[in-house]
Each structure stands twice: as structure tokens, then as C-alpha cells.
Amino acid sequence: MILSKIKEAIICFKNLRVTFPYPLKRNIEALPVEGFRGKLTIDVSKCIGCAGCANVCPSRLIIVTDKKAVRRLDFYLERCTYCGRCADVCPEKAITMTQEFETATNDVHNDMHISAEVYMGTCQRCGRCFETQTILDKMMTVGFRNNQAE
Ligand code: SF4
Ligand code: SF4
């Protein structure tokens, strides 16, 4: 019994420490590799408010609400599984999976919540949002509709 404990102690003293004093000192080699899916981010200037991301999210954490001409997207990322489906389906590549993996926080409501507001075009009859102003501008310039035509 004592002999085995002495052997164990010798092994421990012979081997160097294998852990790092994280987060004060990091193991550079252990940082995420290319293609790693960390906490997502959204570029609101690219978003067209199609809600495709919300439709495919398996965790149902993306909530879409319309208020007059504003479509609001709320991401409650504490439930995110980092599957990347939202980024894959986004037609405008507005969602990016970053390399951020340190998501432990005491303030989950602020640190793990992203909200984005997109200004939409609304239906003249029912008032519902149907397209973003950005897309309407694009349609004007490529000739789908020209309000200025004589
Ligand atoms: S990465 Fe997956 S779980 Fe997270 S918001 Fe996107 S679709 Fe939802
Ligand atoms: S982030 Fe992409 S998929 Fe989601 S509403 Fe905006 S454009 Fe659509």
C-alpha cells in the first residue's frame, strides 16, 4: 500500500505539469482551428429580414417580431448549439460563426442576447412587412420596377 503510494508520488514528481493556468496563460496550440463554430454574430446592414435563420434554428432561439415597418430579430444564444444552420441558410451571409468560445458569463441576458432591427417595406393593404427597403432599392436599380418612368 505504502509502496504503491510512493510509486505514484515519484511518477507525479517526474512528470511535468500538463495543465495551463487558464485564462491567465493560454495554450496557443489549443485555440480554435479554421472552421470552428463559436458564438455567432450578425451584420445588420446585410440582413433582409427573411427570417430564414429563425425557421431552421433547431433550438428555436431566434424570435422574429414585426412592429409596423420594423422587423426585430432577437437571438437568445444561451440555447445555441453552434450547429451553424442559421449561417448556412442566410441568403445574404449576414450571420457569421465566430471563433469566440468563451461564453461563460454571469450576465446571460446581456452577453448572450443579440437583437437586430431591420426596416422593411410594408404591404399597402394589410400593413405587414414583406421585404426590406434595401431589397426594394435593389429591385429599382435592376429594373423590376421603375416608379420614375414616364
Ligand atoms: S447556430 Fe444553430 S442553434 Fe445556434 S442560432 Fe444558429 S441555427 Fe440556432
Ligand atoms: S440573418 Fe439572414 S436568414 Fe436571418 S433574417 Fe437576416 S437575411 Fe434572413
Side-chain angles (χ1 to χ4, degrees), residues 12-106:
C12 289
F13 284 122
K14 267 173 66 180
N15 290 312
L16 295 173
R17 189 171 63 178
V18 292
T19 55
F20 289 85
Y22 181 87
L24 301 175
K25 189 179 171 192
R26 296 176 183 197
N27 179 5
I28 303 295
E29 288 165 20
L31 289 177
V33 292
E34 205 183 318
F36 174 84
R37 295 192 300 255
K39 183 182 174 185
L40 66 83
T41 179
I42 177 168
D43 183 347
V44 188
S45 65
K46 289 184 182 170
C47 178
I48 57 169
C50 66
C53 50
N55 289 337
V56 299
C57 176
S59 304
R60 294 280 179 258
L61 66 86
I62 306 170
I63 309 298
V64 181
T65 43
D66 291 336
K67 198 170 182 186
K68 293 187 178 169
V70 176
R71 173 159 287 178
R72 186 183 161 106
L73 293 125
D74 284 292
F75 294 73
Y76 295 95
L77 296 176
E78 64 268 31
R79 296 213 313 269
C80 184
T81 59
Y82 308 99
C83 65
R85 288 177 72 181
C86 53
D88 287 344
V89 301
C90 179
E92 300 297 314
K93 300 289 172 226
I95 295 178
T96 310
M97 305 302 290
T98 69
Q99 299 237 313
E100 190 179 339
F101 61 92
E102 293 159 314
T103 53
T105 175
N106 288 330

